[in-house]
Amino acid sequence: MYDYLIVGAGLYGAVFAQEAKKAGKTCLVIDKRDHIAGNIYTKDVEGIAVHQYGAHIFHTNNKEVWDYVNQFATFNRYTNSPVANYHGELYNLPFNMNTFNKMWGVVTPAEAQAKIEEQRREANITEPKNLEEQAIRLAGRDIYEKLVKGYTEKQWGRPCTELPAFIISRLPLRFTFDNNYFNALYQGIPVEGYTAMVERMLEGTEVRLGIDYLADKANLDTLADKVVYTGPIDAYFGFRLGYLEYRSVRFETEVLDVENYQGNAVVNYTDRETPFTRIIEHKHFVFGTQPKTVISREYSSEWKPGDEPYYPVNDERNSALYQQYKAQADGENKVIFGGRLGEYKYYDMDKVIESALGKAREIL
C-alpha cells in the first residue's frame, strides 16, 4: 500500500517523509505518542509555546539545513545566553569575560588568562584520570567547583571523580564579553513553535498516532515495501543482547500568575544541593509578553525500561553493545535505522536533518 512505513513522527521521520513525497513516493508515518514532532514537540499553554521535552534551540553552520527549515517556519532572532545560579550567585554561560569578572573581579582578558593559568599550575594535572581532574586542568579549580561540578554530578547521577575524563574534551573559555552560547552562524526558534514546523513538513503525508509499531510489527510491516525506524535500536531487536543505557529527564511544569519569573529562558542551577539542573521559562524563547508565564524544572535521572530515553551513555560498554546491534541492523534489508534512538547517538537538530536528508538522497 505504501512505499515507506516511517516509524516515528519526530524530526528525522518528518524530513524523510517530506523528501519521499517530493520524490513521488507514498508514506505512512506512525507514532506511539498522541502527537507529532517527537521530542521537539511544543504545546500551547496560556498562549506560550511550551517545550514539553526540554528546551530546543535551533543552531547550525550549515546554510543548506538553515534554508531547508526556513521553508517550513519563520525563525526569530533568539540567541541562547544561559545564566548559571550557584547558591544565588549569577554567572554568564559560556565562560566568558562576564563570568571571569564576577568570579575574580578581573577586567582584562590578560588578567583572566593569568588567573586560570595560575590555578592550572597549582593543580599540576598532566594526565587526568577522571572528569574532575580534566575540568580543573582545562579551566582551573574555581570554575570547576562553582560551574561544573554540581551540575555535572546531577546530570550523570555520580561523582565527577567516578566519571571518565573524555566526557569533557574541552571547556570553551572565551576572553570576550560575548554571551552567545552557540558559535553558530544561524540560530533561532520557530515563532509558531516546532509542532507547526513539523506539521508543515508532514503536509500531504498520512499520519496515524497512538500506534505502537513493535506491538504490531508483523502486521504493520506488510503495509509498505520499506521501513524507516527511528525508535530505540535495542528495542527493535527485543533487547536480545541487553539494554543500551540512557540518562533520562523528568519535568515539573507549572503556570505562574506573574509576567516574568527569572528574566531569562534558561537558568542552570550548578550547586549540588538544588535537586533540579535548570529552570526553563518558555515565553522568553519568543520574547513573549503574556500576562502569565510557564516554567519547567528539569531533574536528571537514571534511565530504566519504560522511561523516556534522552541522552545515550556513550561509554565503552554501551558503544560496544551498540556496535553489536548495528551489525544486526545492517542485516535488515527492508529497514533503515535513523535518528537519535535508531543510531544511539546524541544529535543536535541540524545534524538530525543532515542525516535524514543524506539518507533520503542516497536511497530515493
Side-chain angles (χ1 to χ4, degrees), residues 42-315:
T42 48
K43 179 182 179 182
D44 186 286
V45 179
E46 298 287 341
I48 298 165
V50 173
H51 297 223
Q52 290 285 99
Y53 301 93
H56 287 83
I57 298 111
F58 197 91
H59 57 98
T60 187
N61 285 310
N62 186 327
K63 188 175 187 303
E64 182 190 13
V65 168
W66 182 244
D67 290 342
Y68 183 84
V69 293
N70 273 271
Q71 298 175 86
F72 308 105
T74 299
F75 281 76
N76 66 17
R77 58 169 184 81
Y78 178 80
T79 299
N80 191 29
S81 305
V83 170
N85 184 320
Y86 177 78
H87 292 305
E89 298 174 17
L90 300 180
Y91 296 91
N92 285 112
L93 299 174
F95 312 135
N96 62 27
M97 285 302 299
N98 292 309
T99 318
F100 309 143
N101 175 262
K102 179 70 180 281
M103 183 90 59
W104 302 306
V106 297
V107 174
T108 67
E111 290 173 332
Q113 287 170 320
K115 189 71 178 175
I116 292 167
E117 192 54 43
E118 175 193 326
Q119 294 194 358
R120 285 171 171 163
R121 279 199 308 271
E122 286 174 1
N124 193 28
I125 299 166
T126 53
E127 293 292 330
K129 301 182 191 67
N130 52 50
L131 187 147
E132 175 170 288
E133 292 186 358
Q134 171 77 317
I136 293 171
R137 186 177 74 90
L138 292 172
R141 186 166 293 281
D142 288 346
I143 288 174
Y144 167 70
E145 291 288 349
K146 288 191 173 185
L147 302 179
V148 177
K149 184 178 190 296
Y151 190 87
T152 303
E153 290 184 348
K154 288 187 289 188
Q155 277 282 78
W156 291 94
R158 45 188 63 85
C160 288
T161 51
E162 295 178 14
L163 291 168
F166 73 77
I167 290 178
I168 296 181
S169 58
R170 63 186 184 89
L171 280 174
L173 301 171
R174 295 188 188 168
F175 297 96
T176 66
F177 290 89
D178 182 6
N179 293 328
N180 182 0
Y181 192 82
F182 296 121
N183 187 19
L185 190 56
Y186 309 105
Q187 185 173 174
I189 288 178
V191 173
E192 297 175 85
Y194 286 105
T195 304
M197 181 182 85
V198 175
E199 232 167 49
R200 293 190 186 104
M201 288 179 174
L202 291 170
E203 273 177 13
T205 298
E206 185 179 349
V207 178
R208 299 181 196 172
L209 301 174
I211 305 289
D212 187 341
Y213 169 72
L214 295 177
D216 195 23
K217 182 177 178 304
N219 288 325
L220 291 167
D221 281 349
T222 64
L223 300 180
D225 295 331
K226 294 266 190 182
V227 175
V228 177
Y229 177 79
T230 68
I233 188 170
D234 54 349
Y236 181 90
F237 293 104
F239 308 105
R240 66 174 70 147
L241 303 175
Y243 286 91
L244 290 166
E245 291 179 291
Y246 295 85
R247 290 295 291 172
S248 193
V249 184
R250 177 174 63 84
F251 302 95
E252 284 181 359
T253 298
E254 60 178 315
V255 178
L256 300 177
D257 198 11
V258 296
E259 187 180 338
N260 186 358
Y261 176 74
Q262 64 185 17
N264 204 50
V266 182
V267 176
N268 291 357
Y269 285 77
T270 59
D271 60 90
R272 191 68 181 87
E273 293 72 28
T274 302
F276 44 85
T277 54
R278 62 182 182 174
I279 295 180
I280 304 301
E281 188 168 7
H282 301 269
K283 71 189 299 181
H284 294 311
F285 287 128
V286 289
F287 316 106
T289 58
Q290 297 88 345
K292 295 185 179 182
T293 194
V294 182
I295 65 167
S296 297
R297 295 180 186 86
E298 296 188 11
Y299 297 81
S300 184
S301 61
E302 205 75 42
W303 177 85
K304 59 185 185 300
D307 291 345
E308 184 63 36
Y310 280 87
Y311 304 108
V313 180
N314 294 122
D315 59 13

Side-chain angles (χ1 to χ4, degrees), residues 336-362:
I336 298 151
F337 293 81
R340 178 178 58 94
L341 302 178
E343 298 176 64
Y344 194 63
K345 183 176 184 179
Y346 179 77
Y347 265 131
D348 285 329
M349 286 180 283
D350 63 324
K351 297 301 181 185
V352 173
I353 292 168
E354 274 183 35
S355 177
L357 286 174
K359 182 57 71 173
R361 286 166 186 164
E362 175 191 325

